[in-house]
Amino acid sequence: MEQTEVVKPETLDDLIKILHNIFEGDSINVEEVQNIMESYESKPQEWMKYAKFDQYRYTRNLVDEGNGKFNLMILCWGEGHGSSIHDHTDSHCFMKLLQGQLKETLFEWPDKSLGAMVQKSQRILRENTVAYINDSIGLHRVENGSHTECAVSLHLYSPPFQSCQTFDQRTGHRNTVKMTFWSKYGERTPFETTVSQENN
């Protein structure tokens, strides 16, 4: 059996090329993707052109469309910004911290008798660590708890998705929301009249 050697990506462009190779097939080796993303050491000069902040909420900035197999994006979290509790539409979700810290809170799926959602765990993600979630693991909320520092994270979703479900922590009530990009390839996307609700 062929041993695939882990090639350490030196730059963000290297990482993107390696990810394209990994996703050429139809099956995903979660551990392999996680290792590759972890082995890339964050260099702000490489990703700064994609890091677009908004004063009021976190932003989703598209970096690469992965030949339709995945979306790679940079999320920018101002002080105190956070997502709602959300699912991942049957996709794999990898999240690497490029700068700062983020708190991830994991929740059980709500049962049919709507009530307060059950928290499973909570952890602080630090620079260069990679987290992974899919819908069988549960739902999560991600937030920048700092009131003085911004945070930047690199996310890979496979397959890409255009909408997800968000959940009310007190009732478990769900809404479907459309995903939008604040920018694509470093350029601001045209403003949409439908303002994106808190999403992933």
Side-chain angles (χ1 to χ4, degrees):
M1 190 173 134
E2 241 180 81
Q3 187 65 39
T4 55
E5 192 185 330
V6 175
V7 183
K8 182 176 159 59
E10 292 301 326
T11 65
L12 182 59
D13 285 343
D14 281 353
L15 176 63
I16 292 168
K17 283 189 191 103
I18 293 167
L19 289 170
H20 273 260
N21 289 338
I22 290 174
F23 282 88
E24 271 176 359
D26 291 324
S27 62
I28 294 176
N29 180 332
V30 169
E31 208 175 302
E32 183 183 18
V33 176
Q34 211 161 347
N35 288 343
I36 285 294
M37 287 182 71
E38 212 151 74
S39 67
Y40 165 67
E41 283 174 40
S42 173
K43 299 181 191 78
Q45 68 272 21
E46 294 174 359
W47 50 256
M48 205 56 94
K49 64 180 174 187
Y50 304 110
K52 311 289 185 190
F53 283 87
D54 183 278
Q55 187 181 347
Y56 301 106
R57 63 182 310 273
Y58 74 94
T59 61
R60 302 169 80 249
N61 304 283
L62 184 67
V63 175
D64 191 89
E65 285 187 301
N67 292 335
K69 294 284 188 82
F70 64 87
N71 272 346
L72 189 69
M73 61 190 79
I74 282 179
L75 273 61
C76 296
W77 312 79
E79 298 92 333
H81 289 176
S83 75
S84 55
I85 301 169
H86 59 271
D87 72 357
H88 293 90
T89 319
D90 293 324
S91 286
H92 298 277
C93 165
F94 300 86
M95 173 171 74
K96 177 188 176 75
L97 257 287
L98 295 176
Q99 182 178 293
Q101 295 185 356
L102 289 172
K103 179 170 72 174
E104 180 191 38
T105 308
L106 220 55
F107 292 87
E108 303 277 5
W109 281 83
D111 59 21
K112 297 288 179 274
S113 62
L114 292 179
M117 292 181 67
V118 178
Q119 184 177 313
K120 285 170 77 169
S121 64
Q122 198 169 69
R123 61 178 169 165
I124 300 293
L125 302 167
R126 294 184 167 77
E127 207 168 289
N128 284 315
T129 56
V130 176
Y132 171 79
I133 190 171
N134 64 38
D135 287 347
S136 69
I137 293 170
L139 308 165
H140 74 176
R141 175 172 57 219
V142 178
E143 50 202 324
N144 177 11
S146 172
H147 296 289
T148 54
E149 302 289 324
C150 294
V152 179
S153 50
L154 180 69
H155 295 235
L156 185 150
Y157 302 108
S158 180
F161 54 92
Q162 276 70 52
S163 65
C164 76
Q165 295 182 99
T166 61
F167 297 81
D168 184 312
Q169 187 171 349
R170 291 156 313 180
T171 64
H173 180 77
R174 63 183 74 190
N175 279 313
T176 300
V177 298
K178 183 174 175 278
M179 320 298 282
T180 57
F181 292 113
W182 204 93
S183 73
K184 290 183 176 183
Y185 319 115
E187 298 296 322
R188 180 71 164 108
T189 47
F191 182 74
E192 296 191 20
T193 47
T194 55
V195 175
S196 162
Q197 290 163 281
E198 291 289 36
N199 48 37
N200 176 6

